[in-house]
Amino acid sequence: MYETDQLPVTLSEIHNQVQSCQKTLGIGDARNGIFARFLPLENYTDIVITGCGSSLHVATCASFAWSGMLQRPVIAVASSELAHFPEHYLAPTARPLVIAISRSGGTSEVKLAVKRLQRDYRALALAITTDAGSVAEVCDEEIVFEECREKSVVMTQAFVCMLAGLYLLGDGASGRRYASEINKLPMLVRRAIQLTESVVRSLAEDPQIDRFFFLGSGPMKAVADECALKLTEMALDTAFSYGTLEFRHGPKATLDPADQVVIFPVEAEHPYLETLLTEIEITEARVLVIEHASLLSAYESGRASRGTDQRFLGIPGTLPELFRPALYAHIGQFLAFWRAVARNLNPDAPRHLERTVLLNG
Ligand code: F1P
């Protein structure tokens, strides 16, 4: 469809996440040096990661990885919530560390959140951006991920790079137990893209699919949220995201045969997947389960061998669950890209998103 010299920038940036993530891993040690200024983390009562939109989803994925690595609670909160309801998340005596994520480096709500927590809680703040901007001006330190700076309006490769960079910061602050696993990411993402791109594209181009539902829990909930956001922003499509088992409690009632459900299961919920699949299939909606190939045999039941079951897409390689969001992020990106193309929309310039107006304050 596209000549290689005229690929939309969004598509080339999705593909480039393999190379840009490799660069992120190479810069990890230098960035750990910047983060050292904030250590030890025992100095903080709370660790809060914040952002808006896709950056909030990066924050949420990172918060699960950090709490696993640091063995303490780490929360992700939307910047607008944090700016206006900090007392809901923090005790009056809290002294938090804030990790403020903004691809553009200039999102108003992120600045509002940082300033509120500095004023009321004497917070220290680290900005995570791809472009030097005004968020950094209100933070104590900034890490700029210039290797994944994007021309596209919608975030793609920056999601993976900023998330991988945060994995490395968390690992660096907790004994470097996962460095070799995290370093596998570019190779695993490359292999996954080779497998998933055509499957995802055919879903995106299927005119019989009316609505997409994405399901995930724990670290996968933000992957599901990000898929729905990508489809909404890039393809102006109807898309929903729910907690995997929460979906059973109301939302599944609307399913019909023109719906496609995509599930990103977590290991803790494997025992319940069969029940959920049965409930979805009764509605005649279609379902695709995206899972580590090595785990598919765990689902084998009396009725089907998952290895050949069309409803399962096995991602090759092994990676701890906490880091899989960075491996699966491209799926929603490709889906949204090809859905936009199928709907005659320009994925490089989604409607209404060219210019986000800055808020006061
Ligand atoms: C935040 C953001 C994007 C989203 C949309 C509007 O931007 O919510 O994540 O995709 O384009 O803005 P940023 O703070 O990460 O630059």
Side-chain angles (χ1 to χ4, degrees):
M1 175 176 295
Y2 291 110
E3 300 299 327
T4 41
D5 60 346
Q6 50 173 252
L7 282 181
V9 68
T10 306
L11 186 60
S12 56
E13 288 176 350
I14 296 171
H15 279 286
N16 194 54
Q17 64 190 274
V18 175
Q19 288 80 19
S20 53
C21 182
Q22 190 67 58
K23 288 185 188 157
T24 299
L25 298 178
I27 306 168
D29 281 345
R31 289 179 174 152
N32 274 323
I34 298 173
F35 193 48
R37 171 177 173 190
F38 295 92
L39 303 180
L41 296 176
E42 289 73 25
N43 286 348
Y44 309 95
T45 56
D46 301 83
I47 301 174
V48 187
I49 314 183
T50 191
C52 303
S54 294
S55 289
L56 172 62
H57 302 155
V58 174
T60 307
C61 295
S63 73
F64 277 89
W66 276 35
S67 54
M69 289 187 280
L70 302 174
Q71 298 285 294
R72 61 179 283 188
V74 176
I75 58 170
V77 184
S79 296
S80 52
E81 289 291 303
L82 201 53
H84 302 130
F85 305 98
E87 65 285 351
H88 182 70
Y89 303 98
L90 298 167
T93 53
R95 185 164 190 272
L97 172 65
V98 187
I99 310 294
I101 305 174
S102 173
R103 177 184 70 155
S104 62
T107 296
S108 308
E109 291 91 327
V110 183
K111 277 189 284 184
L112 289 174
V114 170
K115 289 205 273 189
R116 179 76 191 265
L117 265 56
Q118 287 170 330
R119 191 191 74 191
D120 292 355
Y121 299 90
R122 295 183 300 123
L124 287 191
L126 168 66
I128 298 286
T129 69
T130 69
D131 231 328
S134 51
V135 170
E137 287 165 16
V138 298
C139 290
D140 301 283
E141 199 63 80
E142 177 183 28
I143 296 179
V144 186
F145 285 67
E146 59 277 282
E147 70 275 19
C148 58
R149 198 167 281 163
E150 294 175 325
K151 292 200 181 79
S152 56
V153 174
V154 170
M155 184 193 296
T156 56
Q157 62 175 340
F159 188 98
V160 174
C161 290
M162 293 195 290
L163 184 53
L166 285 161
Y167 291 160
L168 289 176
L169 292 184
D171 189 45
S174 59
R176 288 182 181 260
R177 283 170 298 143
Y178 295 101
S180 65
E181 302 282 5
I182 299 166
N183 279 316
K184 288 197 282 187
L185 264 173
M187 179 270 292
L188 291 177
V189 173
R190 182 172 47 73
R191 283 171 66 191
I193 286 177
Q194 284 164 358
L195 180 83
T196 56
E197 189 172 3
S198 59
V199 178
V200 168
R201 182 172 172 177
S202 61
L203 270 190
E205 292 175 342
D206 189 334
Q208 290 178 340
I209 298 175
D210 189 22
R211 303 183 301 175
F212 283 89
F213 291 77
F214 300 96
L215 310 187
S217 311
M220 294 302 162
K221 176 61 168 68
V223 175
D225 290 344
E226 178 64 3
C227 285
L229 181 64
K230 288 281 92 94
L231 264 186
T232 306
E233 284 190 323
M234 234 194 279
L236 308 181
D237 210 348
T238 306
F240 305 89
S241 170
Y242 292 100
T244 304
L245 296 181
E246 275 300 298
F247 185 65
R248 306 177 65 227
H249 301 283
K252 72 169 186 195
T254 74
L255 284 183
D256 68 34
D259 292 329
Q260 173 71 53
V261 182
V262 179
I263 308 177
F264 297 94
V266 288
E267 290 170 32
E269 293 177 352
H270 280 179
Y272 320 115
L273 190 63
E274 190 65 46
T275 306
L276 178 64
L277 291 177
T278 303
E279 289 177 345
I280 292 169
E281 284 163 2
I282 287 169
T283 71
E284 293 179 39
R286 286 188 271 175
V287 65
L288 180 68
V289 179
I290 293 171
E291 178 58 288
H292 253 36
S294 59
L295 294 173
L296 289 183
S297 60
Y299 298 132
E300 264 172 40
S301 68
R303 72 174 187 169
S305 162
R306 301 305 192 200
T308 53
D309 191 329
Q310 294 295 310
R311 298 167 307 164
F312 286 76
L313 181 59
I315 306 296
T318 53
L319 192 67
E321 183 168 275
L322 289 176
F323 307 127
R324 283 180 217 156
L327 176 56
Y328 296 168
H330 67 274
I331 292 167
Q333 298 167 4
F334 277 122
L335 189 62
F337 177 87
W338 289 114
R339 190 76 169 169
V341 172
R343 303 184 88 194
N344 284 322
L345 296 166
N346 177 3
D348 286 350
R351 212 178 343 151
H352 308 312
L353 288 176
E354 294 85 352
R355 195 164 272 283
T356 301
V357 178
L358 295 178
L359 300 176
N360 302 327

Short mmCIF file of all heavy atoms in Angstrom, two decimals, residues 51-56 101-108 110 135 153-155 162 226 229-230 233 353 356, ligand 1:
data_model
loop_
_atom_site.label_atom_id
_atom_site.label_comp_id
_atom_site.label_asym_id
_atom_site.label_seq_id
_atom_site.Cartn_x
_atom_site.Cartn_y
_atom_site.Cartn_z
N GLY A 51 1.35 11.38 35.00
CA GLY A 51 1.35 11.81 33.61
C GLY A 51 -0.09 11.90 33.13
O GLY A 51 -1.03 11.70 33.91
N CYS A 52 -0.26 12.20 31.85
CA CYS A 52 -1.60 12.28 31.25
C CYS A 52 -1.65 11.38 30.01
O CYS A 52 -0.64 11.24 29.30
CB CYS A 52 -1.91 13.70 30.78
SG CYS A 52 -1.79 14.94 32.05
N GLY A 53 -2.79 10.82 29.71
CA GLY A 53 -2.97 10.05 28.48
C GLY A 53 -1.98 8.90 28.40
O GLY A 53 -1.81 8.11 29.34
N SER A 54 -1.28 8.79 27.27
CA SER A 54 -0.32 7.69 27.10
C SER A 54 0.77 7.75 28.17
O SER A 54 1.26 6.71 28.63
CB SER A 54 0.34 7.75 25.72
OG SER A 54 -0.62 7.51 24.72
N SER A 55 1.15 8.95 28.56
CA SER A 55 2.18 9.06 29.60
C SER A 55 1.68 8.51 30.94
O SER A 55 2.45 7.97 31.73
CB SER A 55 2.64 10.52 29.76
OG SER A 55 3.40 10.88 28.62
N LEU A 56 0.38 8.65 31.20
CA LEU A 56 -0.18 8.02 32.40
C LEU A 56 -0.10 6.49 32.28
O LEU A 56 0.16 5.80 33.27
CB LEU A 56 -1.63 8.47 32.61
CG LEU A 56 -2.39 7.73 33.72
CD1 LEU A 56 -1.72 7.94 35.09
CD2 LEU A 56 -3.85 8.17 33.77
N ILE A 101 5.97 12.25 34.04
CA ILE A 101 6.23 11.82 32.66
C ILE A 101 5.44 12.69 31.68
O ILE A 101 4.23 12.89 31.84
CB ILE A 101 5.80 10.34 32.47
CG1 ILE A 101 6.51 9.45 33.50
CG2 ILE A 101 6.12 9.87 31.06
CD1 ILE A 101 6.04 8.00 33.48
N SER A 102 6.14 13.20 30.67
CA SER A 102 5.47 13.94 29.60
C SER A 102 6.32 13.84 28.35
O SER A 102 7.44 14.36 28.33
CB SER A 102 5.28 15.41 30.00
OG SER A 102 4.79 16.15 28.92
N ARG A 103 5.78 13.18 27.31
CA ARG A 103 6.57 13.06 26.07
C ARG A 103 6.97 14.43 25.56
O ARG A 103 8.12 14.67 25.23
CB ARG A 103 5.74 12.32 25.01
CG ARG A 103 6.45 12.21 23.68
CD ARG A 103 5.61 11.57 22.61
NE ARG A 103 4.51 12.43 22.18
CZ ARG A 103 3.92 12.37 20.99
NH1 ARG A 103 4.33 11.46 20.10
NH2 ARG A 103 2.92 13.16 20.68
N SER A 104 6.00 15.35 25.48
CA SER A 104 6.28 16.69 24.96
C SER A 104 7.10 17.52 25.93
O SER A 104 7.79 18.46 25.54
CB SER A 104 4.97 17.41 24.68
OG SER A 104 4.25 17.56 25.90
N GLY A 105 6.99 17.18 27.20
CA GLY A 105 7.67 17.96 28.23
C GLY A 105 6.92 19.23 28.61
O GLY A 105 7.45 20.05 29.37
N GLY A 106 5.69 19.39 28.10
CA GLY A 106 5.01 20.66 28.37
C GLY A 106 3.56 20.56 28.79
O GLY A 106 2.84 21.56 28.73
N THR A 107 3.10 19.40 29.24
CA THR A 107 1.67 19.25 29.54
C THR A 107 1.29 19.93 30.86
O THR A 107 1.89 19.67 31.90
CB THR A 107 1.30 17.75 29.53
OG1 THR A 107 1.52 17.27 28.21
CG2 THR A 107 -0.14 17.50 29.93
N SER A 108 0.27 20.77 30.78
CA SER A 108 -0.10 21.63 31.92
C SER A 108 -0.39 20.85 33.19
O SER A 108 0.06 21.21 34.28
CB SER A 108 -1.35 22.44 31.58
OG SER A 108 -1.21 23.10 30.38
N VAL A 110 0.58 18.04 34.25
CA VAL A 110 1.76 17.44 34.88
C VAL A 110 2.46 18.48 35.74
O VAL A 110 2.84 18.23 36.89
CB VAL A 110 2.71 16.84 33.81
CG1 VAL A 110 3.90 16.15 34.48
CG2 VAL A 110 1.96 15.87 32.91
N VAL A 135 7.84 21.27 31.85
CA VAL A 135 7.70 20.36 32.99
C VAL A 135 9.03 20.29 33.74
O VAL A 135 9.08 20.34 34.97
CB VAL A 135 7.24 18.94 32.53
CG1 VAL A 135 7.34 17.95 33.68
CG2 VAL A 135 5.82 18.98 31.98
N VAL A 153 1.93 12.79 16.09
CA VAL A 153 1.15 13.42 17.15
C VAL A 153 0.88 12.43 18.28
O VAL A 153 0.88 12.78 19.46
CB VAL A 153 -0.18 13.96 16.55
CG1 VAL A 153 -1.08 14.49 17.66
CG2 VAL A 153 0.10 15.03 15.52
N VAL A 154 0.67 11.16 17.89
CA VAL A 154 0.30 10.14 18.87
C VAL A 154 1.55 9.36 19.30
O VAL A 154 2.37 8.99 18.48
CB VAL A 154 -0.76 9.19 18.26
CG1 VAL A 154 -0.99 7.99 19.13
CG2 VAL A 154 -2.05 9.96 18.03
N MET A 155 1.67 9.11 20.60
CA MET A 155 2.86 8.45 21.13
C MET A 155 2.95 6.98 20.69
O MET A 155 1.99 6.24 20.83
CB MET A 155 2.84 8.50 22.67
CG MET A 155 4.11 7.93 23.29
SD MET A 155 3.99 7.63 25.08
CE MET A 155 3.75 9.25 25.75
N MET A 162 10.49 5.13 27.11
CA MET A 162 10.39 5.72 28.45
C MET A 162 10.10 4.63 29.48
O MET A 162 10.64 4.65 30.59
CB MET A 162 9.32 6.82 28.49
CG MET A 162 9.70 8.04 27.65
SD MET A 162 8.69 9.51 28.00
CE MET A 162 7.11 9.04 27.31
N GLU A 226 -4.07 1.66 26.96
CA GLU A 226 -3.30 2.29 25.89
C GLU A 226 -3.80 1.85 24.52
O GLU A 226 -3.88 2.66 23.59
CB GLU A 226 -1.81 1.98 26.08
CG GLU A 226 -0.88 2.53 25.03
CD GLU A 226 -0.81 4.06 24.97
OE1 GLU A 226 -1.46 4.75 25.78
OE2 GLU A 226 -0.13 4.56 24.06
N LEU A 229 -6.90 3.83 23.91
CA LEU A 229 -6.57 5.24 23.63
C LEU A 229 -6.00 5.40 22.23
O LEU A 229 -6.34 6.34 21.50
CB LEU A 229 -5.58 5.76 24.68
CG LEU A 229 -5.18 7.24 24.54
CD1 LEU A 229 -6.38 8.16 24.74
CD2 LEU A 229 -4.08 7.60 25.52
N LYS A 230 -5.12 4.48 21.83
CA LYS A 230 -4.53 4.55 20.48
C LYS A 230 -5.62 4.48 19.42
O LYS A 230 -5.64 5.26 18.48
CB LYS A 230 -3.52 3.41 20.23
CG LYS A 230 -2.21 3.50 20.96
CD LYS A 230 -1.20 4.44 20.33
CE LYS A 230 -1.31 5.82 20.91
NZ LYS A 230 -0.45 6.15 22.02
N GLU A 233 -7.61 7.77 19.49
CA GLU A 233 -6.91 8.96 18.98
C GLU A 233 -6.58 8.85 17.50
O GLU A 233 -6.75 9.80 16.75
CB GLU A 233 -5.57 9.13 19.73
CG GLU A 233 -5.69 9.67 21.12
CD GLU A 233 -4.34 10.04 21.69
OE1 GLU A 233 -3.35 9.33 21.42
OE2 GLU A 233 -4.26 11.04 22.39
N LEU A 353 -6.07 16.75 17.50
CA LEU A 353 -4.96 16.55 18.43
C LEU A 353 -3.71 17.36 18.09
O LEU A 353 -2.73 17.31 18.80
CB LEU A 353 -4.57 15.06 18.47
CG LEU A 353 -5.57 14.17 19.19
CD1 LEU A 353 -5.14 12.72 19.08
CD2 LEU A 353 -5.70 14.56 20.64
N THR A 356 -2.90 20.92 21.58
CA THR A 356 -3.57 20.83 22.88
C THR A 356 -3.34 22.15 23.59
O THR A 356 -2.20 22.58 23.77
CB THR A 356 -2.99 19.67 23.71
OG1 THR A 356 -3.18 18.46 22.96
CG2 THR A 356 -3.70 19.55 25.04
C1 F1P B 1 -0.02 13.76 26.98
C2 F1P B 1 -1.16 13.36 26.02
C3 F1P B 1 -0.79 12.24 25.09
C4 F1P B 1 -1.98 11.84 24.26
C5 F1P B 1 -2.57 13.03 23.52
C6 F1P B 1 -2.72 14.25 24.38
O1 F1P B 1 1.05 14.27 26.31
O2 F1P B 1 -2.24 12.99 26.82
O3 F1P B 1 -0.34 11.12 25.80
O4 F1P B 1 -1.59 10.85 23.34
O5 F1P B 1 -1.85 13.34 22.36
O6 F1P B 1 -1.57 14.45 25.25
P1 F1P B 1 2.50 14.32 26.94
O7 F1P B 1 2.39 14.99 28.28
O8 F1P B 1 2.99 12.93 27.06
O9 F1P B 1 3.28 15.14 25.95
#
